[in-house]
Amino acid sequence: MLSNRLAALRALGKENEALDYLKSSLELTPSDSILKRYYADALILVNATEAINQYKALIDGGVKDIVVFNNLAWLYFEEKSFSIAENYIQDALKLENGYTNGNVLSTASSIYLATQQYKKLESTFEKGLEMGARVSAGGLLNLAEAKVRLNKV
């Protein structure tokens, strides 16, 4: 199984070999969206630009995946391209379970905090909490900071 081979290569410290394996597999089956997603996920830490390109190709191919949108939002956030990041996180939130995904809420809270959209951060996060989202400590800290900036604490 592909995921087992990738995990084994990573565990052995052979990330480049794992990336090469994924890339060569994609050359054989370029329309395989699952493989393309694995490749984009693997690229996040080593080549953010190429990860962005792979995620965008997935979206262009019709993939509507919460992780793809969230990861794109995070990568653009890391580049300080906040308006693009916000567009992708909005796409993630619109999908089923968008507001209940703790990673999506964490990314959204980081974007909204960086862009000083404190009310938006608060309403988005609280909607997620009402819907039963499991959230990270970082997301909760972002919410707390937004409330302080809104003079609600």
Side-chain angles (χ1 to χ4, degrees), residues 69-139:
F69 286 123
N70 183 67
N71 288 355
L72 262 173
W74 184 258
L75 288 165
Y76 278 111
F77 169 78
E78 289 279 303
E79 290 184 351
K80 299 194 182 333
S81 297
F82 299 125
S83 63
I84 299 171
E86 186 173 353
N87 289 337
Y88 284 116
I89 205 61
Q90 287 299 317
D91 290 337
L93 288 166
K94 289 176 189 171
L95 295 176
E96 184 178 349
N97 300 323
Y99 281 91
T100 58
N101 184 304
N103 291 329
V104 171
L105 290 177
S106 179
T107 300
S109 71
S110 294
I111 293 166
Y112 297 148
L113 188 63
T115 56
Q116 300 178 358
Q117 297 181 72
Y118 307 123
K119 287 183 182 180
K120 195 169 196 176
L121 187 163
E122 180 182 46
S123 65
T124 299
F125 215 87
E126 288 182 350
K127 181 175 180 178
L129 290 173
E130 288 172 10
M131 296 175 75
R134 301 179 92 194
V135 295
S136 68

